[in-house]
Amino acid sequence: MKLDILFFAAHPDDVEVVAGGIILKHLALGKKVGIIDFTCGELGTRGNAEIRIIEATMASSILGLSYRANLNFADCFFEVSKPNIMKVVECIRKHQPEIVITNPEIDRHPDHVRASKIVKEAVFISGLEKVTTLNEYGEKQIPWKPNSLLYYIQDTYIEPNLYFDITPFYETKVKAFKAYKSQFFDPESNEPETIISTPEFFRRVEARNIEFGRRIGVKYAEGLVREKAIGIHSLFDVI
Ligand SMILES: [Zn+2]
């Protein structure tokens, strides 16, 4: 399926927490948006692979995602290797997205940083004529160079250079990431507490969306980072 925006994530739930509103906004604009998760998050302290996949399916349906897949890389142990980069190149060539968005280059979680490196290399290699990949039918894929590579912002604070008003979508975004019931605050859970399973985590997500919103004069916003300079078609595009 041809996608307009393709997100990559080290773990299911990475994208929903920090960019769920951006997804909802672009789906509402009629764009096709997909997420490809690298792992099932099977080494997370709470939940397990089966639960995480069920939760990801629920979150996808709340968002109304156009596409979701999982590459089944090993949680915590996948490497920035040629086979993994080539799998991501195959995904990019298969879905031909204009925009690729992935984990941040700097973060507390090493999986996020490695995922980011894999995607950055794959975006570059995907455009190279002389690198051959095959699709699931054994046919040669055509090279594809996305227009934009963007990064979302997770635990480690990074100053965004793109802000999106997500105010009309905020409640649905929260509903989508709360679908990962095993990961976040659940008063009925007996599993060990983690830094994201406390009630304060929800308040932190909200506080960040409010803070980003304040900078552009709206109630809630999400932020992204673009390495390359940002061009605009018209001064009226700026809010
Ligand atoms: Zn993660």
Side-chain angles (χ1 to χ4, degrees), residues 160-224:
N161 53 13
L162 291 170
Y163 294 89
F164 295 85
D165 177 9
I166 60 155
T167 309
F169 307 101
Y170 184 74
E171 298 308 322
T172 313
K173 165 218 167 110
V174 171
K175 222 171 129 191
F177 84 73
K178 283 188 175 176
Y180 294 91
K181 210 165 178 275
S182 70
Q183 300 305 298
F184 302 118
F185 179 65
D186 175 6
E188 287 166 20
S189 171
N190 295 318
E191 294 208 83
E193 190 175 280
T194 68
I195 56 163
I196 59 170
S197 73
T198 63
E200 285 70 35
F201 181 76
F202 294 141
R203 292 170 61 204
R204 187 166 182 253
V205 173
E206 184 176 25
R208 188 173 277 183
N209 289 159
I210 290 171
E211 172 59 24
F212 286 171
R214 175 69 196 102
R215 299 194 195 173
I216 57 168
V218 302
K219 191 170 178 187
Y220 294 114
E222 287 171 342
L224 294 174

Side-chain angles (χ1 to χ4, degrees), residues 9-15 39 41 52 75 103 107-109 111-112 152 154 196:
H11 314 111
D13 81 13
D14 284 355
V15 177
T39 75
R52 298 289 290 272
D75 193 18
N103 297 90
D107 196 69
R108 177 190 72 87
H109 199 313
D111 279 4
H112 297 165
Y152 44 83
Q154 294 187 268
I196 59 170

Side-chain angles (χ1 to χ4, degrees), residues 77-85 113-115 117-118 121:
F77 293 103
F78 68 83
E79 294 176 350
V80 184
S81 63
K82 184 176 174 187
N84 288 346
I85 292 168
V113 177
R114 277 183 280 108
K117 281 187 184 146
I118 289 172
E121 294 202 26

